[in-house]
Amino acid sequence: ASLGYSLPDAAAPLANYVPVVHVESAGLVYTSGHVPRNADGSMVTGKLGAGVSVEEGYEAAKSTALAILGSLKASLGELDRVTRIVKLLCLVNSAPDFTQHPAVANGASDLLVEVFGDRGRHARSAVGMAALPSNVCVEVELVAEVSS
């Protein structure tokens, strides 16, 4: 909140899965893939390199990271329990000749570092996909270390 962000409520799963799995014995949480949503709740759709700009993709990845933080807070109670963001995976719905996947994923990465500082620095993969569910432009998931 002090950074000017508000966390969205955790979205209900669209199928037979849960948004967050907490492996308490390992001190880790795994999130399911989250997708970007507009203010009205509709999904942000389209292909990077074919109608969606890198800047729009960056913002979509950033808003998706906020959605993940909302799910983490709902699962853990407090984000202060996150001791480290371990791994981020950013899937980018992109045209065959699009090559700026890392620039899109930076939206999520930059937000996590802004929120958590050094605890937000993480390993990452940013990959292009021929299609994503409901034609969303990005899907993001992460693994975080948490305290008990």
Side-chain angles (χ1 to χ4, degrees):
S2 65
L3 296 173
Y5 299 113
S6 60
L7 295 180
D9 293 331
L14 300 175
N16 190 16
Y17 64 91
V18 294
V20 177
V21 171
H22 184 185
V23 184
E24 291 186 44
S25 61
L28 297 172
V29 292
Y30 295 80
T31 71
S32 294
H34 284 62
V35 299
R37 296 193 180 267
N38 294 305
D40 66 1
S42 64
M43 294 183 211
V44 180
T45 60
K47 280 193 179 293
L48 276 289
V52 178
S53 70
V54 171
E55 294 76 19
E56 290 167 323
Y58 177 99
E59 290 301 321
K62 184 176 181 178
S63 73
T64 305
L66 281 171
I68 290 172
L69 294 182
S71 292
L72 286 174
K73 185 173 182 187
S75 178
L76 299 171
E78 291 299 325
L79 290 177
D80 290 342
R81 292 186 57 198
V82 175
T83 57
R84 177 83 194 246
I85 304 298
V86 176
K87 172 76 173 171
L88 181 83
L89 172 62
C90 183
L91 308 171
V92 180
N93 185 0
S94 56
D97 60 345
F98 184 78
T99 60
Q100 298 179 47
H101 308 90
V104 172
N106 283 344
S109 294
D110 291 349
L111 176 87
L112 294 169
V113 172
E114 184 179 3
V115 169
F116 294 109
D118 282 340
R119 297 180 300 139
R121 297 193 187 285
H122 50 270
R124 181 181 88 182
S125 298
V127 297
M129 309 301 286
L132 288 172
S134 301
N135 196 37
V136 293
C137 60
V138 298
E139 183 173 349
V140 179
E141 64 180 52
L142 65 74
V143 177
E145 180 183 50
V146 297
S147 63
S148 54

